[in-house]
């Protein structure tokens, strides 16, 4: 089976095609995830994954990506990757050609170039226009706090406030940064073959107008995705600055290891974040090794995934939409 976050249908179809090159999809899960996600990066799927999206404060698009092998527990990750279009393939090269797990920034670009990747601008008309509009709107929204001049009304450069730091805890990135179906920027994908071999992967250009150098949850194992052949896998999307503090995909996999269903496991990942950040938005997809899956989400009304699975009747590749947890009302934190 192949499952991914948001409605990146083309990437899922391609991954499903790759998985079924051999009967039962045996041994192709890595190719399926890497090439399925690459398809999204190439297509700039829904104008939201890959190059030309989410410019940072300097107007540049940078990419985060990860691939994890649930048999060996090997991972390859890149973060803040500049000027290379196919981040998930670079992540695969980190996994297959080095003993490291993650490379970042300009050094990741140099590594990619040495592996044969092309150095090219990730900016497009779309990303340049978005950035110009942001500059024209006095750099609103942005991710600064406790600095001067006041980041709520003006652009930087900023300096740290000399007065004491605001005592209350930041609750979320704030509504102005909310990610929705039309401006999200991440794909998380899981593939399982007929031998229950699992790979999980992610790719994103992060949050728009992020401070240059910011890395989100997507390339962090246990945050953006996690896979373990003994149990299953999970992937997450949403506000990565908050998600990465709780490793929700590791939590979900560990919950399934402890006997929880995929639905309970995904919800455990989300509720752990909610316990601390009630203004949070995000989703966790959990899949057990048999290919049974569930999604939990918060902050949106509903959330969509794409699934190709022979376990269910109907078209092989389909979009499924779930209702998110209610925003108000009592939250049960028992067992979290
Ligand atoms: C990030 N988690 O960089 C990503 C954003 C995302 O759909 O999921 N967008 O914070």
């Amino acid at each position: 089976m192949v499952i991914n976050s948001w409605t990146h249908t083309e990437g899922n179809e391609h991954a499903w095609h790759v998985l079924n090159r051999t009967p039962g999809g045996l041994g192709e899960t890595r190719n399926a995830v890497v090439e399925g996600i690459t398809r999204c990066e190439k297509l700039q799927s829904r104008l939201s994954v890959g190059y030309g999206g989410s410019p940072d404060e300097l107007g540049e698009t940078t990419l985060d990506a990860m691939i994890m092998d649930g048999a060996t527990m090997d991972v390859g990750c890149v973060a803040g990757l500049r000027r290379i279009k196919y981040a998930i393939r670079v992540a695969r090269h980190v996994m297959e050609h080095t003993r490291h797990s993650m490379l970042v920034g300009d050094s990741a670009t140099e590594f990619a170039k040495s592996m044969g990747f092309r150095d090219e601008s990730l900016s497009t008309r779309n990303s340049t226009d978005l950035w110009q509009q942001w500059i024209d709107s006095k750099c609103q929204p942005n991710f600064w706090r406790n600095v001067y001049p006041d980041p709520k009304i003006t652009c930087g450069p900023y300096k740290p406030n000399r007065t004491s730091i605001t005592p209350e805890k930041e609750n979320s990135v704030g509504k102005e940064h909310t990610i929705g179906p039309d401006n999200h920027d991440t794909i998380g994908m899981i593939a399982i073959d007929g031998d229950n071999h699992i790979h999980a992967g992610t790719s994103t250009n992060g949050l728009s107008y992020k401070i240059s150098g910011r890395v989100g949850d997507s390339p962090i194992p246990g945050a953006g995705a996690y896979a373990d052949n003994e149990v299953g896998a999970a992937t997450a999307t949403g506000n990565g600055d908050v998600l990465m503090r709780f490793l929700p995909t590791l939590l979900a996999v560990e919950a399934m290891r402890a006997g929880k269903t995929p639905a309970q496991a995904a919800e455990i990942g989300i509720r752990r974040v909610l316990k601390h950040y009630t203004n949070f938005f995000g989703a966790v997809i959990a899949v057990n090794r048999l290919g049974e899956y569930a999604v939990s989400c918060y902050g949106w009304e509903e959330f969509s995934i794409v699934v190709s699975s022979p376990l269910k009747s109907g078209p092989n590749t389909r979009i499924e939409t779930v209702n998110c947890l209610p925003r108000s009302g009592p939250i049960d934190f028992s067992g979290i």
Side-chain angles (χ1 to χ4, degrees), residues 6 179 184-186 204 206-207 214 216-218 237-241:
W6 303 102
I179 296 171
H184 63 87
D185 35 37
T186 297
T204 186
L207 296 182
R214 179 264 189 192
D217 59 315
S218 302
T237 182
N239 171 9
D241 291 300

Side-chain angles (χ1 to χ4, degrees), residues 15-334:
W16 182 238
H17 170 75
V18 171
L19 194 61
N20 285 287
R21 271 187 218 159
T22 46
L26 296 176
E28 288 276 4
T29 52
R30 182 174 306 179
N31 290 331
V33 170
V34 171
E35 292 313 312
I37 290 179
T38 301
R39 178 64 61 95
C40 291
E41 291 173 340
K42 272 189 188 157
L43 291 173
Q44 303 166 274
S45 190
R46 295 178 57 93
L47 265 185
S48 63
V49 169
Y51 68 101
S54 304
D56 67 14
E57 281 198 336
L58 305 179
E60 184 177 5
T61 297
T62 58
L63 305 177
D64 296 342
M66 161 180 43
I67 177 76
M68 180 162 189
D69 180 334
T72 61
M73 308 309 282
D74 285 347
V75 290
C77 313
V78 285
L81 179 68
R82 306 178 67 199
R83 302 186 58 81
I84 306 284
K85 274 189 182 165
Y86 305 121
I88 186 75
R89 285 186 178 163
V90 182
R92 179 182 191 153
H93 277 71
V94 172
M95 178 159 81
E96 294 182 349
H97 301 291
T98 80
R99 295 187 193 284
H100 296 310
S101 294
M102 182 185 287
L103 296 178
V104 304
D106 283 335
S107 303
T109 306
E110 289 310 312
F111 166 78
K113 281 160 58 181
S114 75
M115 292 283 113
F117 288 83
R118 188 144 53 114
D119 179 330
E120 56 195 322
S121 169
L122 303 188
S123 295
T124 59
R125 182 73 191 268
N126 172 57
S127 63
T128 311
D129 285 353
L130 282 172
W131 181 69
Q132 192 56 54
Q133 284 161 22
W134 180 74
I135 295 285
D136 293 345
S137 63
K138 298 197 164 53
C139 307
Q140 305 301 312
N142 61 59
F143 291 91
W144 293 89
R145 59 175 171 163
N146 296 316
V147 292
Y148 72 91
D150 186 350
K152 291 204 172 67
I153 53 174
T154 182
C155 295
Y158 307 108
K159 294 266 182 260
N161 270 346
R162 283 193 207 90
T163 50
S164 58
I165 299 294
T166 320
E168 75 270 21
K169 189 177 72 157
E170 149 236 12
N171 193 23
S172 78
V173 291
K175 284 206 174 44
E176 66 277 21
H177 291 287
T178 298
I179 296 171
D182 296 321
N183 68 344
H184 63 87
D185 35 37
T186 297
I187 180 162
M189 181 182 278
I190 296 162
I192 308 182
D193 72 11
D195 270 350
N196 307 105
H197 188 109
I198 309 174
H199 274 82
T202 60
S203 179
T204 186
N205 46 34
L207 296 182
S208 294
Y209 321 122
K210 60 191 177 187
I211 298 169
S212 178
R214 179 264 189 192
V215 170
D217 59 315
S218 302
I220 313 289
Y226 200 73
D228 183 340
N229 277 10
E230 283 181 6
V231 181
T235 185
T237 182
N239 171 9
D241 291 300
V242 168
L243 279 165
M244 71 160 78
R245 299 171 192 176
F246 302 94
L247 300 179
T249 59
L250 175 66
L251 280 178
V253 169
E254 292 311 307
M256 290 190 285
R257 193 191 307 278
K260 303 285 187 199
T261 63
Q264 291 167 329
E267 200 169 317
I268 281 172
I270 289 294
R271 288 198 188 277
R272 177 65 66 85
V273 184
L274 263 179
K275 191 171 178 178
H276 301 272
Y277 297 96
T278 50
N279 207 8
F280 158 79
F281 52 90
V284 172
I285 301 173
V287 190
N288 68 19
R289 59 189 293 277
L290 303 177
E292 295 160 340
Y293 59 89
V295 189
S296 181
C297 51
Y298 185 84
W300 302 297
E301 290 298 314
E302 47 186 39
F303 181 76
S304 295
I305 58 172
V306 189
V307 189
S308 293
S309 166
L311 284 185
K312 284 197 176 173
S313 56
N316 253 344
T317 302
R318 59 189 177 270
I319 294 175
E320 293 183 11
T321 300
V322 298
N323 290 326
C324 295
L325 296 170
R327 281 191 215 216
S328 52
I331 296 173
D332 177 12
F333 290 121
S334 55

